[in-house]
Amino acid sequence: MEDAYAKSVAEVLEAFGVDRTKGLSDSQVEQHAMLYGKNVLPQEESTPFWKLVLKQFDDLLVKILIAAAVVSFLLARLNGETGLTAFLEPSVIFMILAANAAVGVITETNAEKALEELRAYQADVATVLRNGCFSILPATELVPGDIVEVGVGCKVPADMRMVEMLSHQLRVDQAILTGESCSVAKELDSTSAMNAVYQDKTNILFSGTVVVAGRARAVVIGVGSNTAMGSIRDAMLRTEDEATPLKKKLDEFGTFLAKVIAGICILVWVVNIGHFRDPSHGGFLRGAIHYFKVAVALAVAAIPEGLPAVVTTCLALGTKRMARLNAIVRSLPSVETLGCTTVICSDKTGTLTTNMMSVSKVCVVRSVHQRPITDEYSISGTTFAPDGFIYDAGELQLEFPPQSPCLLHIAMCSALCNESTLQYNPDKKSYEKIGESTEVALRVLVEKVGLPGFDSMPSALNMLSKHERASYCNHYWENQFRKISVLDFSRDRKMMSVLCSRKQQEIMFSKGAPESVMARCTHILCNHDGSSVPLTMDIRNELEARFQSFAGKDTLRCLALALKRMPEGQQSLSYEDETNLTFIGLVGMLDPPREEVCDAVQSCMSAGIRVIVVTGDNKSTAESLCRQIGAFEHLDDFTGYSYTASEFEGLPPLERANALRRMVLFSRVEPSHKKMLVEALQSQNEVVAMTGDGVNDAPALKKADIGIAMGSGTAVAKSASDMVLADDNFATIVAAVAEGRAIYNNTKQFIRYMISSNIGEVVCIFVAAVLGMPDTLVPVQLLWVNLVTDGLPATAIGFNKPDGNIMTVKPRKVNEAVVSGWLFFRYLVIGAYVGLATIAGFVWWFVYSENGPRLPYSELVNFDSCSTRQTSYSCSIFEDRHPSTVSMTVLVVVEMFNALNNLSENQSLLVIHPWSNLWLVGSIILTMLLHMSVLYMEPLSALFSVSPLSLAEWKVVLYLSFPVILIDEVLKFFSRSSRARLSPLRLWRREILPKEARDN
């Protein structure tokens, strides 16, 4: 029943055919169960494991690699190869693919846990009225129409419409659903609000929320999926995970590379059709198979097999660094997404604020005989910890607050007129509340005021254990006074009172809404001398002005405190006793912003990242917070920057798009609005990070490009997120963004490094095939180079130091290519040199080496007709392992020098020295040691078809390899020069534009 909030109690009961005094009959329960279903969130079918595994191989590059592995194995079998040599190449390829698939499967199974953890918020049992009798039943057996009774501490078992109040009030903590910082008062009256959101439905109890005060009865109107919690589950199911910007670019690059590889492979095969019948192959078919092997080798060379592993390793290393910053990464790809985040949608309660209501201001009457009439105190401390100081209007700390009569009596009233508990949790190492946040805030104020009569009190309190310190002062007052009677809070009075006795003297303490309490006051307590004087109209006006300032400008939640001496021996209270009160003071409290948030917001603005505050709280409270943390910068008029959910939904499409570009605050929202905001921002090509901690945040966290949950948040929010802030600190996001940008820059560098290396391998094989030379490199050698000798330096490039201005530049564009334009030309040049140098090493051994045959070049390119001609050398020389060893070593060494080129995109090695990244230096040394072991250790050298090199051969390798540094230094010089020439032109063009265009 979707509109139960707008109907009267009688209409709702009539709709379900239920009598509020008897409940449903057994036949009705059976009928409603068949009609509406069970009160459980349906078990969603999880994706079968085999489908998750197959999904990881649904990639064009992966398919080409699988095909290359299968073809390689078949060709090896056709050539009569057996044992390890036949299986080596395909098995290595399949091992790489299996490792990458494992990472993908683990990531996807984590995502499905969020749906399961929603069940933890369902109640286990419910007190139900059926057939005229109350009984406790499993909550899963509830059906719409059931009459359920709830009380303090009860978890609401289903969505229900209030039908009867059994106490003066009913308050419910629904922060997990709406994010509201305070509990919500429920009522019986219907709601007439248009486009009502959860916060407007004050007569509805939502499934999974908790009753914190009062008792009531309600009729079930929705079960299972038809509840507020069920709608969150459905929203999470409808949300598909978005690929990260880097993943999209790598996928695009992979598709492009796959097409190029296919084209080059076909071209090599077609170009050599005339050589199929060469006698060396032993027939047309064997010739076709030989050049097919060359094409397979080309595919293996072109695909950077180690790239997925290196990307994963670099991101994993980034997550370790982030963990030291208190940012726990749950999804590896999300690390680099932080680097291009353009908007952070931050939940207010518990993220920007402490979610711990605390007293920040106190106003008392100083004296009626001198100006100013009132004294105002400010209180430090923004958590439930009893740590903080009290300052006067001149910002001087009060050494002994209890010496002020009004502060002393405020402490008494706050401790006694209070039903909450403050305690220390040693496991979490934090102070926790039981009860209303506003009452706990008063408990903390009592601790900050301290106790009278002891000069050493402040230091003495600090000597207590944290468990004793939590409520030491509160317990003192509770022991001094004996509670006799309590008048609970009611909506009409808007106050509560408690009768206490001390030394045969009865005193009534009262607290409540300022307008209600002050209307009942006839006297005031003076802070100057502790006297009680009549409350005049002037003083009343002054107090009301202070109240309006607290509630309006400062948007504080205000309570007034009062007392009254009662006749000796009185044992009970009535509403008539709440008259002729003596006003003690006015207390203003708020859910305070975290101390470090202001600087973090400014850092985001400097980095070109917008911060949008998203909250379920009312507009004025949220605007006050935004002003405090600097989100509105220096704006006085918030029009066009602050919207409630209903205001935003009421805008025409064009105005809504414009509002989205300027929005700073989005208030009075419910879960669907958060997800809608993320989708709307993504439609404007924004990369959105969404923070949150409640169940209500889960769908938006899952939909966002990067979902960031709080460490103290719900399990559902954490499971739906990509990253968890262990310290719940918004400022940690800024540090994580800087780390994400650095990781992306380094990722970009090693991707370019690996691509230029693979271009070199392709050039080598392609040119050799076109010229008609023997195979310069065999596939297993290419695999070794791609995985080991390329992989280690590429991973070490991930440790390059970040640029100094990393958080003063705008986020990169989502559609920015990893390699494009001039950079692509640069890496083509480098790749071409790598390939030509590798071939040059091969040719050198045949033509010029003292250990080689010193053949004419024409003999080398016509090697395939050797067996049909009379030659002065043996044709078996073309099967010697030395030339391919020289080629492979040139390829390895030239790529080590190329790794040094990638210490920076444009800076010279003379500016950024190799030792600036010792990990890279170490990886180059390790790679060369591994390569030496392949050359000089017998089992490995046979496996990789190589042989030991002489000193003369090593010299040639170095001569051919080193020039790659000189070539890249020249290209870097042109990059720096062109950038320097363009900068003044860009600046001049920017200055002649109108200001609006410049800003855009």
Side-chain angles (χ1 to χ4, degrees):
M1 190 173 189
E2 293 183 1
D3 60 347
Y5 64 91
K7 295 183 181 297
S8 66
V9 172
E11 289 175 319
V12 175
L13 294 173
E14 185 182 348
F16 290 109
V18 60
D19 184 339
R20 66 197 296 176
T21 60
K22 296 181 180 178
L24 295 175
S25 63
D26 290 338
S27 59
Q28 284 179 305
V29 169
E30 191 175 333
Q31 182 184 351
H32 287 194
M34 292 179 62
L35 187 61
Y36 300 108
K38 282 194 168 186
N39 185 31
V40 291
L41 293 176
Q43 179 83 38
E44 188 64 26
E45 287 187 19
S46 58
T47 309
F49 181 77
W50 63 271
K51 280 190 177 181
L52 283 178
V53 173
L54 285 181
K55 184 180 176 183
Q56 310 310 313
F57 296 93
D58 188 19
D59 181 88
L60 200 52
L61 279 181
V62 170
K63 290 173 183 174
I64 290 176
L65 263 181
I66 292 172
V70 172
V71 170
S72 174
F73 174 72
L74 292 175
L75 292 177
R77 298 292 293 177
L78 284 172
N79 283 346
E81 295 178 24
T82 56
L84 187 61
T85 53
F87 286 99
L88 180 65
E89 186 182 329
S91 61
V92 170
I93 291 175
F94 280 121
M95 280 168 58
I96 298 162
L97 297 177
N100 288 328
V103 173
V105 169
I106 290 168
T107 302
E108 294 207 23
T109 50
N110 281 341
E112 294 187 355
K113 290 181 182 176
L115 294 171
E116 285 301 310
E117 282 164 347
L118 265 177
R119 297 173 183 274
Y121 292 90
Q122 291 181 292
D124 297 323
V125 295
T127 304
V128 190
L129 177 65
R130 286 183 181 172
N131 301 309
C133 298
F134 276 102
S135 58
I136 298 176
L137 298 175
T140 54
E141 294 183 11
L142 289 181
V143 296
D146 266 326
I147 303 294
V148 177
E149 186 171 308
V150 293
V152 177
C154 285
K155 190 179 286 184
V156 178
D159 279 10
M160 306 190 294
R161 168 66 160 89
M162 295 270 291
V163 296
E164 185 179 356
M165 193 81 76
L166 301 177
S167 60
H168 294 299
Q169 64 163 343
L170 185 81
R171 299 191 70 86
V172 177
D173 181 355
Q174 52 188 41
I176 63 163
L177 189 66
T178 62
E180 290 166 290
S181 54
C182 297
S183 60
V184 178
K186 295 296 180 177
E187 56 189 22
L188 299 176
D189 298 336
S190 59
T191 304
S192 58
M194 298 291 289
N195 301 319
V197 295
Y198 290 147
Q199 294 90 327
D200 297 325
K201 300 174 183 177
T202 52
N203 52 25
I204 302 293
L205 304 180
F206 296 105
S207 174
T209 60
V210 179
V211 177
V212 296
R215 283 174 61 233
R217 287 177 189 162
V219 60
V220 175
I221 57 171
V223 294
S225 296
N226 297 317
T227 61
M229 205 64 72
S231 66
I232 290 175
R233 170 192 169 275
D234 294 342
M236 290 173 71
L237 283 175
R238 290 193 299 269
T239 303
E240 295 183 6
D241 292 329
E242 293 284 328
T244 66
L246 179 62
K247 177 76 167 63
K248 290 175 183 175
K249 288 299 156 192
L250 289 178
D251 288 346
E252 289 172 13
F253 173 72
T255 304
F256 168 74
L257 189 60
K259 292 174 182 175
V260 171
I261 291 166
I264 293 176
C265 290
I266 293 169
L267 183 63
V268 167
W269 204 62
V270 170
V271 165
N272 286 286
I273 285 178
H275 295 285
F276 286 3
R277 296 183 184 279
D278 289 347
S280 61
H281 301 312
F284 181 86
L285 181 60
R286 285 191 171 275
I289 291 173
H290 171 79
Y291 284 104
F292 194 59
K293 283 183 71 177
V294 173
V296 170
L298 194 63
V300 173
I303 297 174
E305 294 90 347
L307 182 58
V310 172
V311 170
T312 301
T313 304
C314 185
L315 294 178
L317 291 170
T319 63
K320 290 194 73 174
R321 290 198 292 272
M322 285 187 172
R324 288 197 290 270
L325 300 171
N326 288 315
I328 313 301
V329 176
R330 297 185 66 257
S331 169
L332 280 182
S334 65
V335 173
E336 65 83 22
T337 309
L338 278 167
C340 59
T341 297
T342 58
V343 179
I344 297 175
C345 295
S346 177
D347 188 43
K348 178 185 81 72
T349 306
T351 307
L352 295 171
T353 68
T354 62
N355 196 19
M356 298 183 190
M357 190 71 73
S358 63
V359 175
S360 63
K361 286 187 178 182
V362 172
C363 177
V364 298
V365 175
R366 182 168 65 172
S367 172
V368 295
H369 303 299
Q370 52 184 322
R371 296 280 176 176
I373 294 175
T374 58
D375 271 336
E376 190 173 301
Y377 297 102
S378 58
I379 292 90
S380 65
T382 56
T383 67
F384 290 148
D387 306 319
F389 302 100
I390 299 176
Y391 299 88
D392 62 19
E395 296 187 1
L396 294 175
Q397 181 185 329
L398 298 190
E399 238 180 299
F400 303 109
Q403 290 180 353
S404 301
C406 286
L407 289 179
L408 179 65
H409 283 82
I410 284 174
M412 288 183 200
C413 184
S414 298
L416 298 167
C417 200
N418 202 314
E419 300 296 324
S420 67
T421 304
L422 176 65
Q423 61 187 21
Y424 181 73
N425 186 328
D427 296 329
K428 296 182 180 179
K429 295 182 179 179
S430 64
Y431 292 90
E432 295 180 340
K433 70 176 176 98
I434 298 175
E436 281 288 321
S437 294
T438 52
E439 293 200 331
V440 176
L442 293 176
R443 289 247 182 243
V444 177
L445 175 63
V446 174
E447 300 300 324
K448 291 176 182 177
V449 171
L451 299 177
F454 301 97
D455 290 346
S456 61
M457 180 48 66
S459 56
L461 287 173
N462 293 331
M463 294 172 67
L464 297 171
S465 69
K466 291 188 175 181
H467 177 73
E468 293 173 312
R469 181 69 189 91
S471 295
Y472 186 85
C473 299
N474 281 277
H475 290 159
Y476 173 84
W477 293 119
E478 287 169 346
N479 290 331
Q480 289 290 312
F481 289 86
R482 181 172 60 89
K483 283 190 184 181
I484 301 172
S485 178
V486 177
L487 274 181
D488 287 328
F489 179 94
S490 64
R491 292 184 61 81
D492 54 340
R493 290 160 45 245
K494 294 183 181 177
M495 61 184 294
M496 74 167 287
S497 298
V498 58
L499 177 63
C500 300
S501 175
R502 183 193 187 203
K503 296 179 180 178
Q504 297 180 345
Q505 185 177 10
E506 276 65 43
I507 302 176
M508 182 181 72
F509 292 101
S510 301
K511 80 168 191 291
E515 63 273 20
S516 298
V517 173
M518 284 196 287
R520 291 171 166 81
C521 289
T522 57
H523 289 73
I524 54 166
L525 184 68
C526 292
N527 199 38
H528 177 64
D529 55 6
S531 61
S532 176
V533 299
L535 176 57
T536 64
M537 188 56 68
D538 286 344
I539 299 174
R540 189 181 294 276
N541 292 338
E542 177 69 20
L543 288 173
E544 286 182 355
R546 300 309 303 152
F547 166 50
Q548 294 303 326
S549 174
F550 276 19
K553 179 185 172 185
D554 299 326
T555 61
L556 300 178
R557 183 167 186 176
C558 296
L559 289 174
L561 308 179
L563 60 80
K564 180 182 179 181
R565 295 187 185 279
M566 305 299 288
E568 187 177 337
Q570 183 165 337
Q571 295 297 307
S572 63
L573 286 177
S574 65
Y575 296 151
E576 288 74 24
D577 290 322
E578 292 179 326
T579 56
N580 301 319
L581 305 181
T582 299
F583 178 84
I584 306 173
L586 185 68
V587 172
M589 58 186 74
L590 78 164
D591 181 8
R594 294 177 179 273
E595 293 175 358
E596 57 283 332
V597 161
C598 191
D599 289 339
V601 169
Q602 292 306 313
S603 296
C604 287
M605 291 176 177
S606 300
I609 301 169
R610 285 173 59 203
V611 177
I612 298 178
V613 178
V614 183
T615 178
D617 267 353
N618 65 64
K619 193 174 182 179
S620 60
T621 302
E623 285 178 347
S624 174
L625 175 89
C626 289
R627 192 189 301 111
Q628 290 177 60
I629 64 174
F632 283 131
E633 297 184 86
H634 302 295
L635 294 171
D636 292 322
D637 184 8
F638 305 149
T639 305
Y641 296 91
S642 173
Y643 294 90
T644 63
S646 56
E647 287 171 351
F648 183 74
E649 285 187 312
L651 294 174
L654 185 60
E655 286 184 37
R656 188 184 296 186
N658 290 331
L660 210 57
R661 295 187 182 95
R662 301 173 67 195
M663 183 185 288
V664 174
L665 173 62
F666 197 37
S667 55
R668 299 296 284 174
V669 302
E670 57 184 44
S672 60
H673 294 132
K674 292 187 178 185
K675 188 182 173 191
M676 175 200 72
L677 177 65
V678 172
E679 289 172 341
L681 287 166
Q682 287 174 335
S683 70
Q684 293 187 350
N685 297 319
E686 302 280 10
V687 179
V688 184
M690 167 64 81
T691 73
D693 58 355
V695 174
N696 59 315
D697 298 319
L701 288 173
K702 194 175 180 188
K703 179 63 183 173
D705 296 288
I706 175 163
I708 305 171
M710 300 298 108
S712 62
T714 60
V716 180
K718 291 176 188 174
S719 294
S721 68
D722 301 296
M723 190 173 89
V724 178
L725 299 184
D727 58 358
D728 289 9
N729 195 337
F730 179 82
T732 302
I733 299 173
V734 180
V737 167
E739 187 64 40
R741 289 186 174 191
I743 288 170
Y744 176 76
N745 289 345
N746 291 341
T747 304
K748 194 165 58 172
Q749 284 298 101
F750 71 63
I751 287 173
R752 290 167 178 171
Y753 162 69
M754 297 190 83
I755 289 169
S756 62
S757 300
N758 283 83
I759 289 172
E761 294 166 16
V762 170
V763 168
C764 170
I765 293 172
F766 182 74
V767 171
V770 170
L771 294 177
M773 291 183 184
D775 296 339
T776 51
L777 296 166
V778 295
V780 71
Q781 292 172 340
L782 290 169
L783 268 178
W784 171 259
V785 172
N786 285 353
L787 288 175
V788 181
T789 57
D790 278 2
L792 289 175
T795 304
I797 288 170
F799 288 94
N800 283 350
K801 290 183 178 178
D803 297 334
N805 65 339
I806 200 159
M807 284 302 285
T808 58
V809 296
K810 288 187 175 181
R812 74 178 193 274
K813 294 181 179 177
V814 182
N815 56 2
E816 177 188 293
V818 178
V819 180
S820 62
W822 164 247
L823 273 174
F824 185 62
F825 171 76
R826 271 176 57 179
Y827 288 98
L828 274 177
V829 171
I830 296 295
Y833 178 78
V834 170
L836 294 174
T838 305
I839 291 175
F842 187 82
V843 172
W844 170 84
W845 190 87
F846 276 106
V847 178
Y848 299 109
S849 175
E850 293 180 2
N851 299 328
R854 296 203 173 194
L855 300 177
Y857 177 73
S858 58
E859 290 290 322
L860 180 61
V861 296
N862 290 299
F863 81 100
D864 47 9
S865 61
C866 174
S867 60
T868 63
R869 294 182 286 108
Q870 189 70 31
T871 60
S872 57
Y873 56 88
S874 170
C875 292
S876 63
I877 194 69
F878 296 113
E879 296 174 8
D880 195 299
R881 294 190 295 181
H882 262 87
S884 65
T885 303
V886 174
S887 289
M888 180 182 174
T889 305
V890 169
L891 182 59
V892 169
V893 175
V894 77
E895 290 183 3
M896 294 306 99
F897 285 125
N898 191 30
L900 293 175
N901 287 334
N902 283 276
L903 280 167
S904 173
E905 187 176 304
N906 293 313
Q907 290 298 324
S908 168
L909 278 172
L910 298 174
V911 177
I912 298 181
H913 306 291
W915 52 87
S916 66
N917 186 345
L918 292 176
W919 288 100
L920 180 58
V921 175
S923 71
I924 290 173
I925 294 170
L926 179 59
T927 299
M928 291 309 301
L929 289 174
L930 288 170
H931 185 66
M932 295 279 196
S933 66
V934 167
L935 295 185
Y936 296 102
M937 292 175 67
E938 184 53 45
L940 292 174
S941 59
L943 195 63
F944 288 96
S945 301
V946 293
S947 58
L949 295 182
S950 66
L951 184 61
E953 289 167 337
W954 272 109
K955 285 181 180 178
V956 172
V957 167
L958 289 173
Y959 289 148
L960 289 171
S961 303
F962 185 75
V964 76
I965 284 185
L966 302 178
I967 293 170
D968 201 48
E969 284 293 316
V970 172
L971 294 170
K972 284 180 178 180
F973 173 76
F974 282 121
S975 291
R976 293 194 299 272
S977 300
S978 61
R979 183 169 292 185
R981 285 197 303 272
L982 285 172
S983 292
L985 177 61
R986 286 175 181 158
L987 186 61
W988 176 76
R989 288 180 63 190
R990 178 179 170 80
E991 289 304 317
I992 64 173
L993 289 171
K995 183 180 185 301
E996 291 77 9
R998 292 205 304 271
D999 292 341
N1000 289 333

